[in-house]
């Protein structure tokens, strides 16, 4: 595999994926990204110009997608509207990008016989009870809760149908919550880090008992590369690093690592339909493809992430005021 089309490569996980590829492989990459509010050209700064080409455009633009897909060995599709809270305020871009965008790419890879990897989320499975050992597996029925997760679930089903009906050479992965550098500050962990750095109090939805299963973005991306190279066509792989923590614990960790009292946060309005708990069983990926996470612990990864936001204020500061103004309108 010499050339890849990476959609959403100016977003959080996509930008880290392109950076990871530059470090770990010899592939050449074309990034296709619309640069919505969530995309940032600076997230790709400093990468070699002879190996990374940036194209600003929409995954729903069939003509553009057709042309770009025709020139590569594989497509990795990260581009999406990705934030649950936004999907509750206005679902329409979620339907367009996540469903129509995926359909547009599938039609192009079908025509050109190009390998395709679909990036999805554990949220397609709905949520789990607290304090039970149950975790999501590849066999868990789909049961999405929000417009975001429903649009991702729909896009996954399109991929499966294109594999079965048209022999598209696709794999899928559903990963748990990512953290790390270049994550938009609307998301939980960077929002709280940058709040503390700005002298604001972190904001915890509801009671803070909701559990997320955290994985460092580099571990996610190494799993994606593994599946792209060794995954079985038509198969789904769950990606997770056994990182379950409740939101309250995470806020307390952030405050402690930043030298603040661990109770220096506000409880704010809960998210409507807020999923209680996500937890991934990644046995299939570990046993069949030999992947395992490298990041030693959530605590170490979190400390490194805090340090990154401390040192890259120029990257996040321009978005802070507008992001917080939007949350303030929602009482969050
Ligand atoms: P993000 O919001 O940070 O980035 C999304 C990127 O897609 C942005 O650069 C944006 O400009 C681009 N984009 C949006 N609409 C587009 C369009 N119509 N055409 C072209 N580009 C467009 O998202 P992220 O957190 O990096 O998530 C990437 C993928 O991973 C998504 O598919 C998401 O569902 C999935 N995922 C995310 C997580 C997580 O914890 N963040 C976990 C599991 C799966
Ligand atoms: O200020 C906050 N306070 C708070 O308590 C924010 C922004 C969030 N939360 C809670 C809500 C969730 O329980 O923190 C948890 C994590 O919230 P998000 O960062 O919004 O992530 P989540 O809704 O879990 O979805 C994420 O993981 C799965 C990504 O945004 C999705 O793209 C991915 O599919």
């Amino acid at each position: 595999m010499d050339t890849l089309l990476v959609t959403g490569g100016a977003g959080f996980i996509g930008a880290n994926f392109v950076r990871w590829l530059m470090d770990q492989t010899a592939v050449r990459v074309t990034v296709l990204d619309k640069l919505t509010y969530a995309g940032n050209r600076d997230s790709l700064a400093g990468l070699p110009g002879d190996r990374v080409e940036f194209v600003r455009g929409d995954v729903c633009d069939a003509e553009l997608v057709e042309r770009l897909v025709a020139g590569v060995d594989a497509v990795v599709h990260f581009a999406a509207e990705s934030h649950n809270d936004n999907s509750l305020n206005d679902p329409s871009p979620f339907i367009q990008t996540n469903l129509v965008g995926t359909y547009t790419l599938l039609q192009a890879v079908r025509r050109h016989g190009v390998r395709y990897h679909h990036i999805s989320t554990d949220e397609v499975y709905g949520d789990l009870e607290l304090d039970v050992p149950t975790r999501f597996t590849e066999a868990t029925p789909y049961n999405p809760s929000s417009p975001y997760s429903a649009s991702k679930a729909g896009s996954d089903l399109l991929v499966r149908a294109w594999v079965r009906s048209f022999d598209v050479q696709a794999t899928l992965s559903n990963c748990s919550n990512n953290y790390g550098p270049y994550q938009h500050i609307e998301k939980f962990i960077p929002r709280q880090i940058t709040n503390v750095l700005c002298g604001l109090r972190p904001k915890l939805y509801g009671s803070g008992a909701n559990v997320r299963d955290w994985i460092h973005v580099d571990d996610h991306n190494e799993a994606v590369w593994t599946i792209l190279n060794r995954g079985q066509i038509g198969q789904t792989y769950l990606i997770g690093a056994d990182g379950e923590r409740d939101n309250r614990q995470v806020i307390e960790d952030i405050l402690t690592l930043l030298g603040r009292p661990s109770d220096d946060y506000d409880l704010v309005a809960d998210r409507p339909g807020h999923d209680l708990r996500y937890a991934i069983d990644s046995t299939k990926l570990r046993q069949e493809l030999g992947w395992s996470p490298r990041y030693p612990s959530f605590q170490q990864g979190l400390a490194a992430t805090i340090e990154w936001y401390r040192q890259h204020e120029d990257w996040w500061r321009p978005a802070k005021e507008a992001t917080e103004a939007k949350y303030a309108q929602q009482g969050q």
Side-chain angles (χ1 to χ4, degrees):
M1 215 169 284
D2 297 325
T3 52
L4 291 188
L5 177 63
V6 176
T7 71
F12 164 45
I13 307 177
N16 278 287
F17 184 62
V18 176
R19 290 183 172 279
W20 188 92
L21 290 172
M22 292 304 112
D23 279 351
Q24 305 285 330
T25 76
V27 297
R28 277 179 292 120
V29 172
T30 301
V31 169
L32 171 60
D33 198 296
K34 188 177 176 180
L35 295 180
T36 67
Y37 80 95
N40 191 336
R41 196 70 184 76
D42 292 343
S43 302
L44 297 169
L47 295 178
D50 57 340
R51 289 184 61 200
V52 181
E53 182 196 6
F54 183 82
V55 177
R56 184 173 190 177
D58 193 326
V59 289
C60 303
D61 178 343
E63 223 171 279
L64 173 64
V65 164
E66 178 80 19
R67 181 161 60 75
L68 295 177
V69 165
V72 295
D73 298 325
V75 175
V76 184
H77 179 35
F78 290 95
E81 286 291 335
S82 69
H83 195 39
N84 276 300
D85 292 322
N86 292 343
S87 82
L88 296 163
N89 289 329
D90 178 12
S92 87
F94 290 76
I95 303 305
Q96 184 64 19
T97 289
N98 300 359
L99 288 166
V100 178
T102 299
Y103 160 74
T104 307
L105 283 159
L106 285 170
Q107 287 290 73
V109 295
R110 175 187 169 196
R111 272 192 288 271
H112 294 280
V114 166
R115 175 85 170 81
Y116 174 89
H117 182 71
H118 187 71
I119 302 292
S120 192
T121 168
D122 57 0
E123 297 192 20
V124 300
Y125 299 112
D127 62 354
L128 300 162
E129 295 296 313
L130 297 176
D131 305 321
V132 294
T134 327
R135 300 195 289 172
F136 299 135
T137 73
E138 289 78 4
T140 305
Y142 274 36
N143 187 25
S145 312
S146 74
Y148 162 67
S149 47
S151 67
K152 292 296 292 186
S155 72
D156 293 8
L157 297 181
L158 291 176
V159 179
R160 291 180 182 194
W162 261 243
V163 170
R164 169 119 183 206
S165 302
F166 306 123
D167 274 333
V168 160
Q169 301 292 293
T171 42
L172 303 92
S173 55
N174 297 73
C175 189
S176 62
N177 284 62
N178 285 220
Y179 71 95
Y182 300 104
Q183 185 168 31
H184 194 282
I185 55 168
E186 69 188 351
K187 301 297 196 306
F188 179 55
I189 287 181
R191 182 182 185 206
Q192 315 313 338
I193 295 171
T194 56
N195 271 359
V196 178
L197 294 178
C198 290
L200 304 169
R201 282 158 68 96
K203 310 288 182 212
L204 191 60
Y205 292 177
S207 71
N210 306 64
V211 170
R212 296 295 181 265
D213 188 353
W214 294 100
I215 182 171
H216 193 275
V217 65
D218 289 342
D219 283 332
H220 180 184
N221 282 330
E222 186 167 6
V224 169
W225 181 245
T226 303
I227 298 165
L228 188 63
N229 284 281
R230 300 208 299 276
Q232 215 183 313
I233 298 304
Q235 291 291 305
T236 291
Y237 298 88
L238 261 54
I239 307 173
D242 302 331
E244 278 187 74
R245 291 179 103 72
D246 70 42
N247 294 340
R248 186 185 291 270
Q249 269 177 293
V250 174
I251 281 202
E252 289 177 358
D253 285 349
I254 291 170
L255 283 162
T256 305
L257 284 163
L258 282 163
R260 305 285 313 156
S262 64
D263 60 354
D264 194 17
Y265 59 85
D266 294 329
L267 292 177
V268 296
D270 207 354
R271 173 184 285 172
H274 196 174
D275 279 342
L276 205 47
R277 172 174 163 252
Y278 306 138
I280 289 269
D281 178 347
S282 57
T283 304
K284 175 176 171 180
L285 176 63
R286 292 172 194 240
Q287 288 190 348
E288 290 185 14
L289 303 186
W291 171 88
S292 60
R294 287 174 194 264
Y295 242 80
S297 73
F298 177 74
Q299 279 292 336
Q300 264 177 274
L302 183 62
T305 303
I306 289 174
E307 196 47 36
W308 189 89
Y309 281 91
R310 222 202 264 275
Q311 287 178 10
H312 292 82
E313 191 171 333
D314 53 334
W315 183 87
W316 58 263
R317 178 63 82 166
K320 187 64 182 168
E321 205 179 316
T323 305
E324 288 308 312
K326 198 152 80 175
Y327 277 124
Q329 273 182 352
Q330 297 165 196
Q332 292 177 322

